[in-house]
Amino acid sequence: MQNQPHSQIQQQKLPNQRWLIHPEKPEITNNLAKTLEISPLIAQSLINRDISTIEEAQVFLDPGSIKLPSPIQEFPDLEIALNLLQTTISQKKKIAICGDYDADGMTSTALLLRSFKHLGAKVDYAIPSRMQEGYGINERIIEEFHQEGVSLILTVDNGISAYKPIARARELGLNVIITDHHDIPPELPPANAILNPKLISETSPYQGVAGVGVAYILALSLAKRLDKLSGLTDPLLELFTLGTIADLAPLTGVNRRWVKQGLQLLPHSQLAGVRALIQVSDVKAQAQGNLKETKNQKSLKPDDIGFRLGPRINAVGRIADPQIVIELLTTDDKEVAATRAKQCQEINQTRQELCAEIEQQAITWCEESQINFEKERVLVVVQPGWHHGVIGIVASRLVERYGVPVFIGSYEEEQGPDANLASSPGVMFASSETTYTIRGSARGIPEFHVFEGLQFCDDLLGKYGGHKAAGGFSLPGKNLDEFRSRLSEFAHQCLKIHHLKPLITIDAEAEFKELNFDLYHQIDLLHPCGIENRSPIFWTSNVRVAEQKIVGAGHIKLTLIKSEIIKAIAWRWGDYFRLPSLVDIAYKLRENTFNGQTSIELELVGVRLPQKVYANQKSSHLPPIKKFYYRNCSYTCSLYKVGNLQELRIQNSRGDVLAIQKGKRIGLLGKSRNNAQQVDVSKPHFFHLIKAAINALNLNL
């Protein structure tokens, strides 16, 4: 591909991003790298996570070495909850769990069902309808539990804002334990006990647990008290791991410690449903590294859950019946597990189609509306007919695209005297008496607190809840304009203009020659990565885009060059195709296996026009890249200067590179110079391949 003139490059559309590159600290980096025998890139990544001493690094890299305080000491109401549960179980009275329809709520519900049945309790559960009722326990559920003779209600991943339903339960003589992790409202419900990490010390290692984490702590504490831990710990840890990662809980404190252990259990799960889900998701475990070597022990990675297992669980709660997931995660029957896993797979495919359709409609609306984000500083988009079970996912994608907080919703007609008329065939408009409710989801950016934004609009809203990064809400349709205006007012209080771009936080600058399997396996030392412990992101300047093409559903597949040749993928970047020929890139490392060959690739998360041009590397001086075919196979080739010598490099579709210097009989063959083997290029296969490359470059060598 020929170099493009600078004026043409400027006109190309690139992701609207801001880059935050952590400053280098070479002395500390070198000390950590030498003492711990790790790459300086990994050492710099530790420093960026406020880990700068050998002792801090050793604790971070081995979270199992931390001595945890007893949960009883940390959660003030845990003792009350345990006493209530123990009494209820011993008296053979009925316990009812009220869960939620997201991955956190469903895994929490399954976890407590498994544990309570193991402990001999009489237990049942209910999950409110996402479509008809929305989030959280409600008075209908309370009344039904009472009619069914329930003695104790236990909420999981909800309840902290349900003052009226909990008050009704107490009026009916029911005991209530709330286990939740959402932000604390001004007035707490009148429950017998409340377990919420937002109510404990901010320095507690339990502070960041999700709803499934609170359920896990409660279940293990109760089993320990009843001396029935045997056979329970590992299955519950697996469910904790699934729910914690799928809910995007921070992977710090006990979350980091327990998730790291749980990821090692999942490849040989004791749960029939988890095994079936792994199979339909085509997830493969990988070897994990430690400080000195790569272990043979297999483990899943957080991305396996975040991008494969979690979405299949979440999809069910979004657009189908959560009972499918509850049965999947509580059954011991292989056939039932296989059936439920297949349903999760099919439902997730439908969810993907819905998301793609709504996302495109939302983008079209935004572009046609020509919103001035510098003026509004928030995006509020509401349309009829959108499935509110998936609009939260679309909200996240719009945040990625526009770099502003997003509040997205859909109209729902309230039941009234004209409700049936409005939905009748052939009737285009309801009467003036018809009213509408908007139900929606919100996603924020780092500088914008979603829940506080919703609180700022309290008098305009019906039900709402959430936390810093995300939330849900409902409001009368007549309040939409005021809601949009009020959110904009709140956004102006916390967002400057320079905040209105997606933030890419970068750990260190790297050269392609450093990007090898050794570095990739050392990244495992930082795992589990996720919220508040993100995967390391590196950047490289002045990278040549040799090849690029659209693959799949709008992804860009690239061949990149800077002294080495490496493949890359840019997920869902079809709108930015074609990228300029010379760019700075920000990326994560990933493994790619094709035709039995595994190579290191880049997953692009950022791209910008070059910010610095080296004196000896003007874009006009970059070697031309040519594509050619030899024996029906595709290759690329280019000519480089190595010192005073010319070097011809030929790359195949698997990423293997043959490097031959002019006048030499021995060349190098491999994915990088670090692992290349010497080959005799005078042998017929190499000789004719080299000749074909020379012809492609029109060289006279």
Side-chain angles (χ1 to χ4, degrees), residues 135-147:
Y135 168 79
I137 193 168
N138 55 56
E139 292 189 44
R140 176 196 64 79
I141 292 175
I142 296 293
E143 298 291 347
E144 286 191 4
F145 281 163
H146 179 248
Q147 292 170 11

Side-chain angles (χ1 to χ4, degrees), residues 528-667:
C529 293
I531 302 299
E532 295 187 19
N533 182 37
R534 55 184 176 76
S535 296
I537 294 175
F538 307 118
W539 79 287
T540 303
S541 63
N542 290 52
V543 172
R544 173 78 179 277
V545 180
E547 290 184 339
Q548 53 182 311
K549 62 180 180 180
I550 296 290
V551 298
H555 315 306
I556 307 179
K557 186 76 173 175
L558 307 106
T559 299
L560 305 174
I561 298 177
K562 188 179 180 185
S563 74
E564 305 277 344
I565 302 174
I566 195 165
K567 299 287 188 180
I569 188 74
W571 302 116
R572 304 177 68 251
W573 274 22
D575 287 349
Y576 310 121
F577 182 81
R578 304 181 57 94
L579 293 177
S581 59
L582 189 68
V583 290
D584 294 346
I585 58 171
Y587 52 86
K588 301 176 184 178
L589 295 191
R590 67 190 296 264
E591 271 188 345
N592 183 54
T593 300
F594 181 74
N595 287 343
Q597 298 289 323
T598 302
S599 60
I600 296 298
E601 288 191 350
L602 309 185
E603 178 183 323
L604 296 192
V605 297
V607 66
R608 67 183 186 184
L609 293 176
Q611 304 293 296
K612 57 182 180 180
V613 179
Y614 301 111
N616 62 345
Q617 192 182 0
K618 303 291 185 181
S619 60
S620 59
H621 295 160
L622 288 169
I625 306 297
K626 293 291 186 179
K627 186 172 184 177
F628 69 98
Y629 291 88
Y630 174 67
R631 292 187 175 177
N632 295 322
C633 293
S634 172
Y635 296 87
T636 57
C637 60
S638 189
L639 195 66
Y640 289 80
K641 284 197 71 175
V642 178
N644 295 322
L645 297 175
Q646 286 185 317
E647 182 174 270
L648 175 65
R649 297 180 188 168
I650 304 170
Q651 184 177 33
N652 64 15
S653 60
R654 297 189 302 271
D656 299 307
V657 178
L658 176 65
I660 319 103
Q661 293 182 356
K662 186 176 181 181
K664 294 190 177 181
R665 180 177 174 179
I666 301 299

Side-chain angles (χ1 to χ4, degrees), residues 152-219:
L152 170 63
I153 297 174
L154 185 69
T155 71
V156 288
D157 192 34
N158 74 94
I160 197 66
S161 297
Y163 187 93
K164 288 184 178 179
I166 302 304
R168 178 57 179 159
R170 300 295 290 129
E171 286 176 7
L172 294 171
L174 304 180
N175 292 318
V176 181
I177 299 171
I178 293 174
T179 71
D180 201 350
H181 70 119
H182 292 97
D183 285 351
I184 306 301
E187 187 175 17
L188 289 173
N192 299 78
I194 299 177
L195 308 181
N196 188 317
K198 298 290 196 307
L199 290 171
I200 67 177
S201 168
E202 291 185 1
T203 61
S204 171
Y206 303 104
Q207 221 275 331
V209 293
V212 72
V214 184
Y216 179 70
I217 290 167
L218 177 63

Side-chain angles (χ1 to χ4, degrees), residues 103-168:
D104 186 15
M106 289 186 289
T107 52
S108 301
T109 302
L111 186 153
L112 288 178
L113 282 171
R114 275 193 167 273
S115 62
F116 288 168
K117 288 178 181 178
H118 177 87
L119 299 174
K122 293 175 62 178
V123 61
D124 202 351
Y125 76 97
I127 294 177
S129 165
R130 179 190 283 268
M131 297 300 294
Q132 274 72 47
E133 299 175 309
Y135 168 79
I137 193 168
N138 55 56
E139 292 189 44
R140 176 196 64 79
I141 292 175
I142 296 293
E143 298 291 347
E144 286 191 4
F145 281 163
H146 179 248
Q147 292 170 11
E148 293 167 2
V150 168
S151 174
L152 170 63
I153 297 174
L154 185 69
T155 71
V156 288
D157 192 34
N158 74 94
I160 197 66
S161 297
Y163 187 93
K164 288 184 178 179
I166 302 304
R168 178 57 179 159

